[in-house]
Amino acid sequence: MMNCRNLFWGVALLLFAACTQDAYEKGTGVDSYVQADFVEAHANADKKMDYAVTDEDQRLTMMSLRSASWMTKADTIYRAILYYEQYGALTNPVRLSKVSVAHIIHKDSVKSGIKTDPLTLESVWVSTNKRYLNVGFYLKTGSTSDDEAMQLLAVIGDTLMTNADNTHTLWLRLYHDQGGVPEYYSTHSYFSLPLQDLTADSIRLTVNTYQGEVVKTLSIH
C-alpha cells in the first residue's frame, strides 16, 4: 500500500510525505503560455482569492475569484505561485500553487540534533521587495508502505555575526531529515522565509547537498 499524505505545514517544520508536489513551470510545461509570479494571495470573506501582490509589489486584481483547498481562512494572506493572464487592469487566474512558509528555529531548541541529510539545491534568492528569502530544491522520494515515513525540513538559526563594517549576518542552516522516505526519484518544491522581522543585514544559509555543503550569502536590505 502506498503512503502518500498531503504536504502540510507544522508549527515549525516543513513536512513532506512520499509523494509528488506542484512544480513551478518555467516555460516548458502546460503553463508555459501564461505568466507566473511568486505572490502574496489574499483570501476574501468567502475564502477565495480576490487579489494578489507580486514580489515586485505589483497588485493584481482578479477578474474572477479563485478558490483553493488550502485557503481555509477568510481575510488571510497566503504565499503562492500564481499562473495568470493579464488583460489591461484585470488578471485572469489560471492556476494557484501554495508555497510553504518557513520560520526560523533556534538551534538550542532542536534537542534531537540537527540532521542534514542531502538534497538538491536549485536556487536561493531574495524577493525584489525584500519580503522573502526563497529557496528552490529537489527532494528524493518514492512510494512506501511505511505510514510513518515523512521528510522534515526546517530553517535553523545558528549565530548572529557582527562583521568588520558593523553590519550583521545571520547564519542559518537547513535541517533535513529523510525520515525513512525512499530515494527513488526527485520532486521539485519551494519554500519562502519571511524577512520583515529580521534585524540582520544579510543571511548566510548552509545547505547539505549530494555534492557537499553549499553556502549562500545574500543581502536582505
Side-chain angles (χ1 to χ4, degrees):
M1 177 179 176
M2 182 178 76
N3 170 38
C4 187
R5 302 180 208 168
N6 292 328
L7 167 68
F8 65 94
W9 174 247
V11 174
L13 297 175
L14 295 162
L15 310 179
F16 294 82
C19 62
T20 60
Q21 302 179 65
D22 289 335
Y24 178 30
E25 301 290 352
K26 294 186 173 181
T28 57
V30 294
D31 295 316
S32 60
Y33 66 96
V34 298
Q35 289 182 247
D37 279 303
F38 283 76
V39 300
E40 291 183 329
H42 177 259
N44 66 9
D46 295 323
K47 304 175 187 178
K48 295 182 178 181
M49 179 181 63
D50 54 354
Y51 72 86
V53 179
T54 73
D55 281 2
E56 288 72 36
D57 283 334
Q58 178 185 6
R59 184 184 174 102
L60 303 175
T61 301
M62 302 301 124
M63 64 171 55
S64 60
L65 301 183
R66 183 84 181 198
S67 61
S69 60
W70 41 267
M71 278 188 167
T72 57
K73 295 182 179 179
D75 299 317
T76 301
I77 297 293
Y78 289 91
R79 186 66 170 157
I81 299 170
L82 174 63
Y83 299 84
Y84 64 96
E85 299 167 313
Q86 193 67 27
Y87 297 99
L90 294 178
T91 300
N92 176 38
V94 175
R95 185 159 71 93
L96 191 64
S97 297
K98 185 179 181 181
V99 174
S100 295
V101 176
H103 296 278
I104 297 171
I105 306 171
H106 194 274
K107 63 179 181 179
D108 293 341
S109 66
V110 185
K111 303 304 182 183
S112 58
I114 298 173
K115 296 188 177 182
T116 56
D117 292 334
L119 50 73
T120 299
L121 183 66
E122 179 196 42
S123 55
V124 181
W125 76 98
V126 175
S127 61
T128 303
N129 58 12
K130 307 295 186 181
R131 289 180 61 80
Y132 293 97
L133 175 75
N134 301 302
V135 179
F137 59 96
Y138 290 85
L139 293 178
K140 293 284 189 180
T141 188
S143 302
T144 177
S145 58
D146 183 0
D147 290 337
E148 301 302 318
M150 185 75 70
Q151 295 195 63
L152 305 176
L153 287 179
V155 178
I156 306 298
D158 191 332
T159 307
L160 183 64
M161 299 293 294
T162 301
N163 304 311
D165 59 358
N166 287 323
T167 60
H168 295 88
T169 300
L170 180 59
W171 287 29
L172 303 174
R173 178 175 290 275
L174 188 65
Y175 176 109
H176 176 219
D177 179 4
Q178 187 69 26
V181 175
E183 300 180 65
Y184 299 151
Y185 58 92
S186 294
T187 59
H188 185 223
S189 191
Y190 292 91
F191 71 81
S192 292
L193 176 73
L195 301 175
Q196 299 93 300
D197 296 331
L198 299 185
T199 57
D201 301 287
S202 58
I203 280 178
R204 181 182 187 269
L205 176 66
T206 300
V207 180
N208 188 33
T209 75
Y210 290 99
Q211 289 73 44
E213 281 198 348
V214 173
V215 178
K216 299 287 187 179
T217 303
L218 303 97
S219 172
I220 62 175
H221 292 302

